[in-house]
């Protein structure tokens, strides 16, 4: 049994249940920016994925085929989240597109990291960075889903 996979799945389930109980029933009543901005703030912290490159945060021998793309994919997503925060806060016409770009890139990064961690057996080398896929990634997965729901809706004004 891969304990990291079990942690990832159970944590995702818990975040999904929380979203299902507290956010999804009210989603149609909320202004998109009121939902998207906290999510973007959360994802702007994905620079923490650079921990996969930091000795001490991970054990020696972590497969670079996993660690390098995961770290830089998270950094790119964090930068895109920050750019989208500016656009959403300014109620820019580009906000919806920038949020969409952030969401697609961030989702693909998570899928890629999960696949690479599995294929290259990165779990035994995670060290203190283990909390990222066990706790952080599930929250990110669920919030990406919520943003896709928002992007799929028709809005009359800027995001």
């Amino acid at each position: 049994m891969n304990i990291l996979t079990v942690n990832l799945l159970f944590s995702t389930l818990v975040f999904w249940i929380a979203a299902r109980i507290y956010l999804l029933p009210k989603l149609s009543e909320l202004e998109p920016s009121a939902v998207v901005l906290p999510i973007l703030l959360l994802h702007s912290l994905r620079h923490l994925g650079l921990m996969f490159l930091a000795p001490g945060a991970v054990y020696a021998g972590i497969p670079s085929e996993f660690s390098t793309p995961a770290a830089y994919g998270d950094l790119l997503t964090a930068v895109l989240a920050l750019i989208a925060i500016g656009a959403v806060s300014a109620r820019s016409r580009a906000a919806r597109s920038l949020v969409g770009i952030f969401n697609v890139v961030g989702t693909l990064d998570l899928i890629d990291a999960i696949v690479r961690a599995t294929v290259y057996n990165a779990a035994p080398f995670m060290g203190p960075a283990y909390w990222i896929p066990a706790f952080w990634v599930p929250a990110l997965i669920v919030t990406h889903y919520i943003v896709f729901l928002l992007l799929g809706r028709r809005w009359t004004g800027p995001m």
Side-chain angles (χ1 to χ4, degrees):
M1 169 186 356
N2 184 328
I3 294 173
L4 180 58
T5 301
V6 172
N7 290 154
L8 187 135
L9 291 173
F10 268 86
S11 293
T12 302
L13 177 63
V14 170
F15 282 112
W16 167 250
I17 291 169
R20 189 85 174 103
I21 292 170
Y22 296 107
L23 180 60
L24 295 180
K26 298 177 181 164
L27 201 57
S28 62
E29 302 166 18
L30 298 169
E31 184 175 331
S33 63
V35 177
V36 169
L37 282 172
I39 290 172
L40 290 169
L41 285 167
L42 173 72
H43 285 266
S44 69
L45 294 170
R46 282 177 69 170
H47 62 85
L48 294 171
L50 290 171
M51 288 177 63
F52 289 126
L53 300 177
V58 293
Y59 297 145
I62 191 163
S64 62
E65 297 89 350
F66 159 75
S67 61
T68 302
Y72 289 115
D74 277 345
L75 180 60
L76 173 61
T77 302
V79 170
L80 292 173
L82 289 171
I83 292 168
I85 287 170
V88 172
S89 296
R91 302 184 72 75
S92 165
R93 292 187 147 191
R96 188 181 191 110
S97 296
L98 291 170
V99 169
I101 292 166
F102 144 79
N103 213 47
V104 169
V105 169
T107 301
L108 291 175
D109 171 58
L110 291 179
I111 292 167
D112 183 61
I114 291 167
V115 169
R116 286 174 179 272
T118 303
V119 169
Y120 296 105
N121 194 28
F125 303 96
M126 294 273 179
Y130 183 92
W131 68 272
I132 294 173
F135 178 78
W136 185 258
V137 168
L140 301 177
I141 290 169
V142 172
T143 54
H144 274 302
Y145 171 76
I146 291 166
V147 173
F148 278 122
L149 288 178
L150 288 172
L151 290 169
R153 297 174 62 189
R154 294 183 190 266
W155 300 105
T156 55
M159 186 170 269

